[in-house]
DNA sequence: TTGTATGCGTTATCAG
DNA sequence: CTGATAACGCATACAA
């Protein structure tokens, strides 16, 4: 008996409620009740159980608990480029708030191939996640439906696909892009360029199109460059192409801050262009680097904390919806720094 | 009967092996065997099961599987500043490789308070994670021991605490710091400064001390600044303090690239100092921004991919160790760019 | 190869 | 307030 307990405590294996019950001299149920919120258990019993648990190093097995409660408290985050400043920030906010709501984040790295997103969603199902938050990739509608059918909550962030079922949370891309045009137009820019990317999501495409539309309806010349992923190097490459031509643009809208940083660096260091005197640049996202003194980039801030808060709320209250939902929109606010001439 | 199946398939709830078995006209075990590697099942049966599963949208419940196999395939990652370039990169590499090894990463955000790390480790136990990888924070030895006692693998990355039990993976901080000194000394620097941080981990402290020791044994003057967390702003602030004095240093070792970026920006943009002509700067980590053309920072690269590969290997092979293990060391290689004068 | 029976660690239900 | 018992979904030893 005693021997058995000793073995267990050293035995490199998890302690069960049964063992705690034996040590405390109560039933399994008493132990269970001690660890479930709102269960009634006498203070004395509770105390004895708690002590036994402490001594044995007992921890409730959430795998088993999730099995019977049909609620795992796991939320999966499907994300591709966690190492990208924007995604990293979003991931940080989401995991922090999820944790505060007594949930835990399982992160699914869907980098690269198209099959990966599929695998990712599969994992989500394997572990019976209560919800899936998609930050990257374009999951097939059929897979989303599977998640939904299994009672999972599916939340799409900044991928405004016209898929019915999941809840979409997006930022006011079009309005912000129009505002970006206004900024540049008022700064006196008369020849514009927008730097987008080849792997653009719906959000990025929306920014690009809205900007172009605004420029065209104001009869101002615009060109569009897409040459590479949404990364620093692509922005620099775009600058090389766009700025080496005869008539350079005097105003540029980069669909992403990362692109803008690359563009700015190439423009200044390779072409010796003065920002914002000769060229104005507007970015999007307000990543940390946008505020660094080498960039001082005028951009649009995504309200990441608000988005994260809202998403976690959504999951917590779990309003199951059958109908097609309108996406929830958050305002992207302009952040004035020094890459655009004032007024 | 039939009605029941229909209800289940629409009923926003997960499908069980039982339901698949009924539809395929086989036993539960047949279904189970179809989905377990290396189990013997007739091709015909297998096919029928697979089809039924497909139709019903069945997915193996890894929670239940983990319960009986005593192996959840969950690995938890304890990390504080995921939004920091270095940690983000490491997290990306780890999650990607974990996934390739058929495991899934549960991320525990241990930002802020000291109790958080404790809570984090607790979560790790709740979900019966097979292993815990600690990237941030200083978990109490007692908690680590609890994890170990429960048969978990504990891996500490870049926190070379003298705790027996867990496996430590670290980078050759001291050697690299000495090399940093050599770089600066050969570049002709005669008055040095090291920029560290107030919340320094053991790794950061090791870099600082080794650099100072090297300088002192060569009879070269060194000062140490620690004013803030390991962040861009702290580096900039350090520059303001260090460079406003009468006799400025002509060589600086920043314990982290993030600090170095802040230092460089302040030095150039606020003091008009020419890098590397008037001042040489060396960083550590080789984050992406170190390669951006505004910085061109000479630094030391942490072999993140190698580390991640090794860590995942370690978890896969699960060599249980009772003895105190020597930390596994990886070489941090110098990356020459333009913030240090050549020769 | 297949099916039956048992157990994994929990919690919910129902008597007491 | 407490204890016995039946699920939860799955994998396996054993018998067929």
């Amino acid at each position: 008996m005693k021997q058995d307990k000793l073995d267990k405590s050293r035995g490199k294996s998890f302690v069960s409620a049964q063992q705690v019950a034996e040590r405390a001299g109560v039933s399994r149920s008493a132990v269970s009740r001690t660890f479930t919120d709102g269960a009634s258990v006498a203070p004395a019993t509770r105390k004895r159980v708690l002590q036994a648990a402490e001594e044995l190093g007992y921890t409730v097995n959430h795998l088993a608990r999730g099995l019977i409660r049909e609620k795992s408290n796991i939320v999966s985050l499907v994300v591709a480029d966690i190492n990208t400043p924007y995604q990293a920030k979003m991931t940080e906010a989401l995991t922090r708030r999820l944790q505060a709501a007594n949930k835990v984040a399982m992160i699914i790295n869907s980098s690269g191939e198209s099959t990966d997103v599929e695998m990712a969603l599969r994992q989500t199902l394997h572990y019976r996640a209560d919800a899936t938050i998609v930050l990257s990739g374009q999951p097939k509608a059929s897979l989303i439906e599977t998640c939904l059918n299994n009672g999972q909550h599916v939340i799409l962030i900044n991928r405004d696909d016209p898929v019915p079922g999941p809840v979409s949370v997006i930022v006011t891309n079009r309005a912000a892009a129009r505002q970006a045009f206004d900024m540049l137009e008022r700064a006196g820019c008369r020849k514009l360029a927008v730097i987008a990317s080849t792997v653009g999501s719906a959000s990025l495409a929306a920014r690009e199109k809205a900007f172009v539309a605004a420029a065209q309806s104001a009869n101002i010349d615009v060109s569009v460059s897409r040459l590479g992923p949404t990364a620093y190097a692509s922005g620099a490459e775009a600058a090389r192409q766009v700025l080496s031509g005869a008539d350079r643009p005097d105003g540029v809208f980069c669909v992403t801050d990362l692109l803008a940083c690359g563009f700015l660096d190439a423009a200044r260091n390779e072409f010796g262009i003065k920002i914002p005197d000769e060229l104005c640049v507007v970015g999007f996202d307000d990543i940390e680097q946008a505020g660094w003194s080498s960039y001082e980039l005028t951009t649009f801030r995504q309200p990441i904390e608000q988005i994260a808060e809202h998403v976690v709320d959504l999951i917590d209250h779990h309003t199951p919806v059958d109908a097609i939902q309108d996406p929830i929109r958050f305002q992207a606010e302009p952040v004035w720094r020094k890459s655009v001439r004032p007024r």
Side-chain angles (χ1 to χ4, degrees), chain A:
Chain A
M1 271 290 199
K2 285 256 181 237
Q3 191 59 35
D4 186 273
K5 280 172 201 162
L6 266 175
D7 280 347
K8 286 295 180 186
S9 78
R10 300 193 323 108
K12 308 284 179 190
S13 179
F14 284 94
V15 178
S16 74
Q18 169 74 341
Q19 294 168 40
V20 177
E22 280 170 16
R23 184 172 188 109
V26 297
S27 69
R28 279 169 284 245
S29 327
V31 178
S32 178
R33 277 191 281 262
T34 302
F35 289 101
T36 53
D37 280 348
S40 65
V41 53
T45 328
R46 178 188 193 77
K47 193 179 166 189
R48 271 165 52 202
V49 169
L50 248 29
Q51 181 174 345
E54 175 71 31
E55 288 165 7
L56 260 38
Y58 169 75
T59 300
V60 178
N61 186 335
H62 278 43
L63 266 44
R65 174 181 276 182
L67 205 54
I68 161 159
R69 289 211 179 144
E70 302 213 12
K71 188 168 188 310
S72 61
N73 276 356
I74 295 176
V75 174
S76 40
L77 250 56
V78 180
V79 52
D81 316 290
I82 324 176
N83 45 345
T84 253
Y86 168 73
Q87 298 289 26
K89 209 166 159 191
M90 184 63 96
T91 303
E92 198 280 332
L94 246 17
T95 54
R96 174 163 35 77
R97 299 193 106 103
L98 242 20
Q99 214 162 290
N102 275 319
K103 303 192 183 315
V104 73
M106 183 163 268
I107 130 122
I108 313 271
N109 189 331
S110 70
S111 62
E113 301 112 77
S114 61
T115 59
D116 274 11
V117 183
E118 197 160 337
M119 294 289 285
L121 269 292
R122 204 77 67 186
Q123 285 284 10
T124 265
L125 293 170
H126 280 326
Y127 285 94
R128 299 305 192 247
D130 296 337
T132 298
I133 304 176
V134 181
L135 298 176
S136 313
Q138 305 286 11
K140 272 195 271 181
S142 63
L143 261 177
I144 292 187
E145 206 177 344
T146 306
C147 291
L148 254 23
N149 277 340
N150 286 337
Q152 277 194 343
H153 222 87
V154 177
I155 298 173
L156 270 30
I157 297 189
N158 267 342
R159 27 217 61 254
D160 37 7
D161 321 80
V163 186
V167 177
S168 282
V169 175
I170 66 177
V171 127
T172 54
N173 292 299
R174 272 172 290 268
R178 277 192 293 269
Q179 207 173 341
F181 167 75
D182 287 345
M183 285 174 170
L184 294 174
E185 197 269 337
R186 276 180 214 158
C189 304
R190 288 297 169 264
K191 179 158 175 47
L192 304 177
V194 21
I195 312 301
S197 85
T198 48
V199 292
S201 67
S203 268
L204 266 38
R207 290 172 204 169
E208 173 192 327
K209 277 181 199 150
F211 185 88
V212 169
Q216 284 174 341
S217 78
N219 263 325
I220 293 190
D221 194 28
V222 206
S223 69
V224 178
S225 297
R226 292 184 213 91
L227 24 83
T230 316
Y232 175 89
S234 310
E237 191 52 36
R240 281 174 210 120
Q241 288 226 355
V242 166
L243 299 177
S244 60
D247 50 327
R248 293 175 177 169
D250 53 1
V252 174
F253 175 47
C254 297
V255 141
T256 266
D257 279 358
L258 224 38
L259 289 168
C261 286
F263 191 95
L264 276 175
D265 272 348
R268 270 197 290 235
N269 302 331
E270 296 176 27
F271 291 88
I273 294 178
K274 293 236 179 341
I275 313 282
D277 309 315
E278 305 171 50
L279 177 65
C280 296
V281 177
V282 176
F284 209 110
D285 283 348
D286 193 33
I287 63 177
E288 198 201 318
Q289 287 74 23
W292 289 8
S293 72
S294 281
Y295 302 98
E296 295 276 23
L297 181 67
T298 293
T299 184
F300 288 85
R301 173 174 301 145
Q302 293 214 31
I304 290 187
E305 289 296 334
Q306 287 179 47
I307 294 178
E309 181 182 7
H310 187 81
V311 166
V312 173
D313 253 35
L314 229 46
I315 294 173
D316 241 359
H317 296 34
H318 202 307
T319 330
V321 282
D322 269 323
I324 298 161
Q325 284 223 309
D326 272 344
I328 300 149
R329 289 168 197 280
F330 283 86
Q331 288 268 322
E333 297 287 350
V335 179
W336 282 92
R337 280 195 272 253
K338 297 178 183 165
S339 62
V340 172
R341 287 187 292 275
R343 301 240 117 227

